[in-house]
Amino acid sequence: RRLAAMLVRANNVIWTTDPDGDRMNRVTFKFDAENPVWGPGANRMTFWSGMDVRSVLVDGTGSDEVVIPSALANGRELMPHSWSHDDQTLALTVITRGVGEDIALYSVKNKQLDMFIATRFNEYNPQYSPDGKWLAFVSNKSSRAEVYVRDLEKPDRDFPVSTQGAT
């Protein structure tokens, strides 16, 4: 069991530690790392580097690997949030300056970034359900932030989960 923490300074750095806080490992060294999430697998962490999405071993050994190249980012920020249970698809918030936040799914197999939810509202923080059939996310389409879920196999409708606001 390990915890992850991002130290925010001039250059963000990601560290991991055991729950007792006895031993810390610096995970990132070169990049302005943001939005760390566990995966793919139990021994890696994925993060936004400021230009692309990367993955690194959680013990800080080895070199980081590009998961989504900067060419697919195309000037947007790609904030990773959740890996599918088979580690083949990464759910992300796509931030486009002057437009807002939308949700995309990146297929490792096809090396393709597909928009999953893109509306005039902001949608962000996507998380896979434990059974992998739904994607939960936050949207401000009701004039305030609320949590919704969308079926991954029939993505034609959102179902509200919260009714009194969410973050």
Side-chain angles (χ1 to χ4, degrees):
R1 298 180 65 183
R2 300 193 66 72
L3 302 171
M6 182 177 73
L7 300 179
V8 180
R9 295 214 169 104
N11 290 307
N12 301 339
V13 177
I14 300 170
W15 293 76
T16 60
T17 185
D18 57 49
D20 297 327
D22 293 335
R23 182 162 182 229
M24 292 187 68
N25 289 315
R26 185 172 174 172
V27 176
T28 57
F29 294 88
K30 299 187 272 188
F31 297 99
D32 192 14
E34 293 184 51
N35 230 66
V37 296
W38 294 105
N43 66 341
R44 297 194 75 80
M45 184 168 288
T46 302
F47 62 95
W48 169 247
S49 76
M51 59 186 171
D52 53 23
V53 176
R54 294 180 172 250
S55 166
V56 65
L57 290 168
V58 297
D59 65 3
T61 63
S63 59
D64 51 289
E65 300 173 1
V66 174
V67 176
I68 304 175
S70 59
L72 287 181
N74 197 24
R76 304 169 295 184
E77 295 179 38
L78 304 179
M79 298 296 171
H81 286 283
S82 182
W83 281 97
S84 61
H85 297 286
D86 63 1
D87 289 330
Q88 293 302 301
T89 307
L90 178 61
L92 309 104
T93 298
V94 177
I95 303 169
T96 307
R97 291 177 198 255
V99 175
E101 299 170 278
D102 296 303
I103 294 174
L105 302 177
Y106 178 75
S107 167
V108 174
K109 179 181 177 183
N110 300 329
K111 299 193 181 317
Q112 187 170 325
L113 183 68
D114 293 315
M115 296 309 295
F116 185 68
I117 304 172
T119 71
R120 63 188 177 97
F121 304 105
N122 287 324
E123 298 91 15
Y124 51 95
N125 294 348
Q127 295 291 320
Y128 284 97
S129 64
D131 65 5
K133 295 180 180 181
W134 298 86
L135 195 70
F137 61 95
V138 178
S139 174
N140 67 349
K141 68 180 175 179
S142 70
S143 76
R144 69 172 170 224
E146 298 287 357
V147 176
Y148 296 85
V149 293
R150 183 177 281 197
D151 188 324
L152 287 163
E153 292 183 16
K154 298 178 198 170
D156 59 344
R157 186 171 165 214
D158 301 331
F159 298 90
V161 174
S162 66
T163 57
Q164 300 298 313
T167 56

